[in-house]
Amino acid sequence: MDVEHKDHLLAAARRVLGAAVLLLCLLAELLVFAFRRHAALHLVPASAMLLLWRFNRRAAAAAADVGLVDFSCLRPPRRLRIPIPGLLEHLRLIGCFDDGSVEFMSRVIEGCGMGDETYFPPSLHYIPPSATHADAVAEARGMYLPTLDALFARTGVPPSAVGALVVNCSGFCPAPSLAALIAGHYRMRADVRTFNLSGMGCAAGVVGVDVARGVLSAHAAVRYALVVSAEIVTVGWYSGRDRCKLLLNCFFRTGCAAALLTSTSAISVPPNCKYRLVTLARTNRTADDRSYASAVREEDGEGITGFSIGRGLGGVARDLLRAHLLALGPAILPWHEKLRYAAALLLFRRGQRRFKKLQDDGDGNTDVPKPNFLTAASHFCLPSSGTPMIRRLAEGLGLGEREAEAALMTFHRFGNQSAASLWYQLAYHEATGAGPARRSGVAARHGERAEGQQRGVGAHQRRPRARGHGQWPLGRLHGPLPRRRILAALPICHCSAFRIV
């Protein structure tokens, strides 16, 4: 019997059971009324109906619960390493860039905070680079398969147990799809549900978690869902002169991550579950033209296709973050912080009416009160989009350098891996003792997207584990992170939040 038939049978059984109990309760009420029994007997069927309603609510909540079994991040082979001096020389030798373009990329790369241990795919190590379809498919195989092999070996879950597969890659959408490539290689079962997301940028990893959550909630027979996040850098390489498109060459590097999700309940969590999802919020500003055009893949004046990052992306991110925090804040902040923030906001509005003109800060923004997210989380995963952007975003959230450490070190060590950077930062927290080895919380934000959306997610840590995800951090900005809960607020376009208990 396939998964769909099992789902229909289970749903039908629940409906029949509920209808039968309801009819029995109504019949009991009629019998008590007909035989004129003591009025207290009316409480028996009423209590039964109340218990049935409560059971249905608990069953719906349990069906919506999702746990993270484990995840795996790719560490490419050292032969693919591209140190900054080698990259700058590579850019000069390729022959497709003029002196102005090389100088511009050199300034961006040297000033963005990226280290010498990032990786390029094999196709971009050639002179000139080979950005063919076959090279892109080979890059996908070289990232997906080692990452998934490590995840299946770590969890002990065979590929045949996966009931849903969600693969996200923004710029490369071949036929057969990348999801079909993975399902075919591992000979997954015939009724596996496959989803291939494209064009969703850095936020696609969190969107994939949301899709997997929907499948696990809707189909009780699906026990495991697999989310795979990567960006094929081969097809994103730009060989023209448009500086808005050259930024992609400077920031994005090879990286891949895979996460195995399972269905849990609010009361009983499977023993192999490491985190439990507790909240998710989403803000969509697709209808805003400025947000929609902030990141677009298009051709330049010479007909060369590239990914344009708009100059107003910072302002779009700031406005989106403000709108998203209005929805995410009430779901994650404790009550005492909500009351404090409400009181501070009322005093600010009162002072605004009284003085009419407020002193602007250095960025030209009024010093509006901000909620203290450190009361809800102690560790955060911010977008790995360059050191200046990470610091500016952390400052906007009221976070210090300690809270931005995971994002800064992830970008320094691996560059920007697009949708996979969330999992690399979570691996950093675990490797430095801030993840499941400790009772603490993680806040994660993910990704600029052209449509301008933002998402927040929350998860609880299930139980401590001694091992981390490999001691990849080559250096640390601070000492051990404090023992506190983890949460997540991913600000620009999409976000995700994690909470460990």
Side-chain angles (χ1 to χ4, degrees), residues 319-404:
D319 296 340
L320 181 58
L321 175 60
R322 290 174 179 172
H324 183 71
L325 292 182
L326 293 176
L328 185 63
I332 61 178
L333 292 174
W335 280 105
H336 64 84
E337 177 58 24
K338 293 177 185 177
L339 294 176
R340 187 207 66 81
Y341 175 65
L345 196 59
L346 288 175
L347 291 175
F348 172 78
R349 298 301 182 190
R350 183 179 179 183
Q352 190 178 33
R353 290 193 302 267
R354 178 178 299 177
F355 299 107
K356 295 183 180 179
K357 186 177 181 180
L358 299 174
Q359 183 179 2
D360 291 344
D361 58 20
D363 294 332
N365 299 322
T366 55
D367 192 13
V368 180
K370 303 173 184 175
N372 183 11
F373 288 97
L374 293 176
T375 60
S378 57
H379 311 310
F380 294 77
C381 304
L382 304 174
S384 298
S385 49
T387 299
M389 187 69 173
I390 294 172
R391 296 186 189 277
R392 187 183 309 169
L393 182 60
E395 182 181 357
L397 286 171
L399 307 177
E401 191 146 319
R402 180 185 297 273
E403 288 74 34

Side-chain angles (χ1 to χ4, degrees), residues 262-336:
T262 186
S263 180
T264 72
S265 70
I267 300 176
S268 175
V269 181
N272 63 339
C273 186
K274 183 188 289 186
Y275 299 91
R276 185 169 63 86
L277 185 67
V278 294
T279 184
L280 187 149
R282 179 174 184 176
T283 302
N284 191 321
R285 300 192 62 179
T286 309
D288 180 52
D289 292 340
R290 192 165 63 102
S291 298
Y292 183 85
S294 60
V296 179
R297 184 175 177 85
E298 59 185 1
E299 295 178 340
D300 62 8
E302 300 177 358
I304 303 175
T305 303
F307 190 81
S308 298
I309 300 177
R311 297 181 182 273
L313 181 61
V316 171
R318 183 178 61 250
D319 296 340
L320 181 58
L321 175 60
R322 290 174 179 172
H324 183 71
L325 292 182
L326 293 176
L328 185 63
I332 61 178
L333 292 174
W335 280 105
H336 64 84

Side-chain angles (χ1 to χ4, degrees), residues 101-283:
S101 299
V102 172
E103 183 181 357
F104 171 75
M105 287 188 288
S106 300
R107 290 199 309 268
V108 173
I109 293 171
E110 291 174 343
C112 68
M114 192 180 300
D116 292 327
E117 296 292 328
T118 60
Y119 304 91
F120 260 171
S123 59
L124 298 186
H125 283 266
Y126 293 111
I127 298 179
S130 177
T132 65
H133 179 84
D135 292 321
V137 173
E139 180 187 352
R141 288 183 175 274
M143 290 195 302
Y144 291 147
L145 303 186
T147 306
L148 291 173
D149 288 343
L151 180 62
F152 290 135
R154 176 179 293 136
T155 60
V157 176
S160 59
V162 176
L165 172 64
V166 183
V167 180
N168 56 76
C169 178
S170 185
F172 185 53
C173 188
S177 67
L178 297 174
L181 183 151
I182 295 174
H185 176 82
Y186 289 102
R187 298 295 187 264
M188 292 184 175
R189 62 197 201 195
D191 60 350
V192 63
R193 287 162 167 76
T194 59
F195 302 86
N196 203 95
L197 308 180
S198 63
M200 305 197 77
C202 300
V206 179
V207 178
V209 173
D210 192 24
V211 172
R213 183 188 68 156
V215 176
L216 291 170
S217 302
H219 303 283
V222 175
R223 186 177 180 186
Y224 292 105
L226 184 62
V227 179
V228 186
S229 302
E231 196 60 60
I232 306 302
V233 184
T234 297
V235 297
W237 181 259
Y238 175 68
S239 57
R241 303 180 182 183
D242 189 340
R243 296 192 173 184
C244 292
K245 297 178 175 61
L246 289 173
L247 292 174
L248 193 75
N249 299 348
C250 302
F251 293 138
F252 284 84
R253 297 293 182 268
T254 296
C256 179
L260 187 64
L261 307 176
T262 186
S263 180
T264 72
S265 70
I267 300 176
S268 175
V269 181
N272 63 339
C273 186
K274 183 188 289 186
Y275 299 91
R276 185 169 63 86
L277 185 67
V278 294
T279 184
L280 187 149
R282 179 174 184 176
T283 302

